[in-house]
Amino acid sequence: GIQVEQSPPDLILQEGANSTLRCNFSDSVNNLQWFHQNPWGQLINLFYIPSGTKQNGRLSATTVATERYSLLYISSSQTTDSGVYFCAVDNDYKLSFGAGTTVTVRA
Amino acid sequence: ETGVTQTPRHLVMGMTNKKSLKCEQHLGHNAMYWYKQSAKKPLELMFVYSLEERVENNSVPSRFSPECPNSSHLFLHLHTLQPEDSALYLCASSQRPNTEAFFGQGTRLTVV
């Protein structure tokens, strides 16, 4: 099956800092999603981005499908941005998840 | 009610018990999924139902039994579980062939 690698595994930020999370995948994909898992376990949809660039407030994402990677940018981080960020890709009508990046934003 | 709703949110059960997890989606989607998230491991796909037909079973032990009575409801029946089955169980839905998935809040299961 398709392999999904996320980096870094852990990220500690000071409030207000910017950061970039990366997702590499091993095969061509039909779909790529970024999620934020809140402390209660729910996966919150951030972006549906099989290719191109999207922005939503302080978050933006870019997927370069031909080079098999996606980036999630967090700008002016806030403590509420803490949690685990997952990348998930689909190439067979089902999502395969990376191991996630745990982000801790300190006040 | 909006989105994907899972009940119960927390469940503690003994190894000899029988329980069921419930998932309901209000998005009009035609596919539903069960995922398992164990500590320190990526989410693992357990089952996929598309148009109420099971289309994927990822080598899940028979002590987990899914049921999809209609396109809005999905159940996971549990019996004679093991402590290593303790995990967060997440339900999701999508509108196939689009696989943009929306998740419920999850059920945190503890097997004692």
Side-chain angles (χ1 to χ4, degrees):
Chain A
I2 192 167
Q3 304 301 309
V4 184
E5 293 183 357
Q6 290 187 243
S7 60
D10 299 281
L11 189 59
I12 299 175
L13 301 170
Q14 202 63 36
E15 199 169 30
N18 303 329
S19 63
T20 302
L21 283 59
R22 187 177 180 101
C23 172
N24 293 332
F25 42 96
S26 61
D27 204 347
S28 59
V29 298
N30 301 319
N31 170 24
L32 187 144
Q33 286 185 256
W34 283 98
F35 296 92
H36 177 213
Q37 189 167 39
N38 66 24
W40 299 273
Q42 185 168 12
L43 288 172
I44 308 297
N45 290 44
L46 296 178
F47 294 100
Y48 170 73
I49 185 166
S51 63
T53 297
K54 291 185 177 180
Q55 180 150 12
N56 184 359
R58 296 180 296 101
L59 302 181
S60 63
T62 295
T63 297
V64 183
T66 53
E67 297 186 24
R68 300 181 183 169
Y69 73 90
S70 183
L71 302 174
L72 178 69
Y73 305 96
I74 306 174
S75 64
S76 304
S77 57
Q78 300 177 0
T79 55
T80 52
D81 295 330
S82 296
V84 185
Y85 289 79
F86 289 101
C87 166
V89 302
D90 150 51
N91 71 343
D92 187 23
Y93 297 106
K94 58 183 182 287
L95 291 178
S96 297
F97 282 77
T101 294
T102 300
V103 174
T104 303
V105 182
R106 294 179 172 165
Chain B
E1 295 269 10
T2 58
V4 182
T5 304
Q6 289 185 241
T7 55
R9 297 292 307 277
H10 301 271
L11 179 62
V12 179
M13 60 185 288
M15 289 188 284
T16 59
N17 291 159
K18 290 185 180 181
K19 296 286 184 183
S20 295
L21 310 185
K22 178 183 176 182
C23 177
E24 185 173 0
Q25 60 97 0
H26 305 273
L27 300 170
H29 288 166
N30 60 11
M32 297 186 76
Y33 310 78
W34 279 117
Y35 283 84
K36 175 184 179 182
Q37 186 179 26
S38 303
K40 306 296 184 185
K41 292 177 70 175
L43 274 78
E44 304 170 66
L45 180 64
M46 300 176 72
F47 302 103
V48 180
Y49 275 83
S50 180
L51 299 173
E52 301 158 38
E53 179 181 341
R54 190 191 311 179
V55 297
E56 182 119 3
N57 176 345
N58 275 1
S59 303
V60 179
S62 59
R63 56 186 182 270
F64 295 91
S65 175
E67 178 189 3
C68 187
N70 55 60
S71 60
S72 300
H73 293 86
L74 184 65
F75 295 89
L76 188 62
H77 304 299
L78 316 171
H79 63 98
T80 60
L81 294 192
Q82 304 299 311
E84 60 264 29
D85 296 322
S86 298
L88 180 67
Y89 289 85
L90 290 159
C91 172
S93 70
S94 71
Q95 181 63 19
R96 283 195 166 197
N98 187 320
T99 53
E100 183 178 11
F102 294 83
F103 283 79
Q105 311 96 312
T107 295
R108 195 164 295 278
L109 173 67
T110 303
V111 181
V112 297

